[in-house]
Amino acid sequence: MRKALIVWGGWDGHQPKEVAGLFQEVLMKEGFEVEVSDSLDAFADGEKLKALDLIVPVWTMDKIKPEYVENVSLAVQSGVGLAGCHGGMCDAFRENVDWQFMTGGQWVAHPGNDGTNYVVNIKHSSSPLTQDIEDFEVSSEQYYLHVDPAVEVLATTRFPVTEGPHSLNKAVDMPVAWTKRWGVGRVYYNSLGHQANIIDIPVVKEMMRRGFLWCAEGKTAAVNGGTHTHG
């Protein structure tokens, strides 16, 4: 049975416990054995992490011991998948650049705040992660991120929607969802998910489900000696 670890905590405004519960449901339906922890000490045992298929962080705006980041990084480099959403993965530890390098981006702003109406544009490519998913509208925070140019972008959103100091720049298609590699491990991120009700939107939940599975499949590929490209 494939094994997943969900670690939730940090800022309560993102409803980490509820989001973690939704992710646990998705993974259990896919046959995963799921451990859920509300402590960053879950990252203390590096060898235990390497035995997993998937790590799902749901932790916002906090500090983390550098050795815990190293443990996660080495596990992912060995083939363990890493997948998460919104601030739970890419606004987790603002002071730790190693975490940001691994995950592929860092939140810097959400002009208009919660309740901003915007379109998520799906980028159709060879990736199975976007197959048969169409563009959709959402009312939530629209994340402006600083993004690793190495990522493969799966979905974008157009800025500016609301006025701000960024508005006089040319239009920007900001990544919403992406994949990247970290060692032979697979990483998936989706900027949606401000609160549990957004994750519970069927198309968002499906995007996360596919991301989880794709990342976990990377462990099998790594064990079998595969280092396939994106998609």
Side-chain angles (χ1 to χ4, degrees):
M1 182 179 285
R2 292 174 295 180
K3 295 183 178 181
L5 170 66
I6 301 173
V7 182
W8 67 268
W11 185 57
D12 286 339
H14 278 159
Q15 299 180 336
K17 182 177 182 179
E18 292 81 0
V19 170
L22 289 173
F23 287 165
Q24 181 181 16
E25 288 178 16
V26 170
L27 289 168
M28 290 180 68
K29 285 181 180 178
E30 295 296 334
F32 282 79
E33 177 185 325
V34 183
E35 177 184 349
V36 180
S37 174
D38 63 355
S39 172
L40 290 175
D41 291 338
F43 296 146
D45 187 339
E47 292 307 308
K48 180 181 177 181
L49 296 181
K50 288 179 182 177
L52 299 169
D53 295 276
L54 180 66
I55 297 170
V56 182
V58 190
W59 204 290
T60 307
M61 289 190 294
D62 208 347
K63 299 179 187 295
I64 188 171
K65 294 179 180 179
E67 56 266 34
Y68 287 4
V69 175
E70 183 178 13
N71 287 344
V72 175
S73 176
L74 290 173
V76 178
Q77 289 176 55
S78 75
V80 180
L82 180 70
C85 75
H86 201 65
M89 188 161 114
C90 284
D91 191 23
F93 312 112
R94 294 179 184 177
E95 296 178 6
N96 193 289
V97 293
D98 293 330
W99 182 270
Q100 294 164 23
F101 192 15
M102 174 174 61
T103 57
Q106 169 62 38
W107 169 86
V108 293
H110 41 63
N113 301 314
D114 196 14
T116 297
N117 297 311
Y118 63 97
V119 177
V120 176
N121 300 111
I122 303 298
K123 184 175 181 182
H124 292 287
S125 64
S126 60
S127 175
L129 291 169
T130 58
Q131 186 174 353
D132 299 323
I133 295 179
E134 301 298 330
D135 296 353
F136 60 95
E137 295 184 12
V138 67
S139 178
S140 185
E141 290 181 342
Q142 186 185 32
Y143 257 24
Y144 204 103
L145 301 121
H146 287 172
V147 180
D148 183 345
V151 304
E152 178 174 346
V153 178
L154 303 177
T156 61
T157 184
R158 176 64 60 90
F159 279 87
V161 171
T162 60
E163 291 299 313
H166 64 300
S167 302
L168 292 179
N169 297 306
K170 62 179 172 41
V172 173
D173 289 318
M174 178 61 57
V176 169
W178 66 70
T179 58
K180 68 172 288 184
R181 302 299 173 133
W182 193 248
V184 296
R186 298 178 177 183
V187 178
Y188 173 84
Y189 175 71
N190 192 320
S191 71
L192 296 164
H194 176 59
Q195 292 185 328
N197 65 313
I198 300 298
I199 292 297
D200 216 22
I201 297 170
V203 66
V204 179
K205 186 181 287 187
E206 175 63 13
M207 291 173 77
M208 294 304 306
R209 185 189 73 84
R210 293 184 187 187
F212 292 151
L213 294 178
W214 181 83
C215 287
E217 287 163 4
K219 178 67 176 287
T220 303
V223 169
N224 293 334
T227 54
H228 303 296
T229 56
H230 288 251

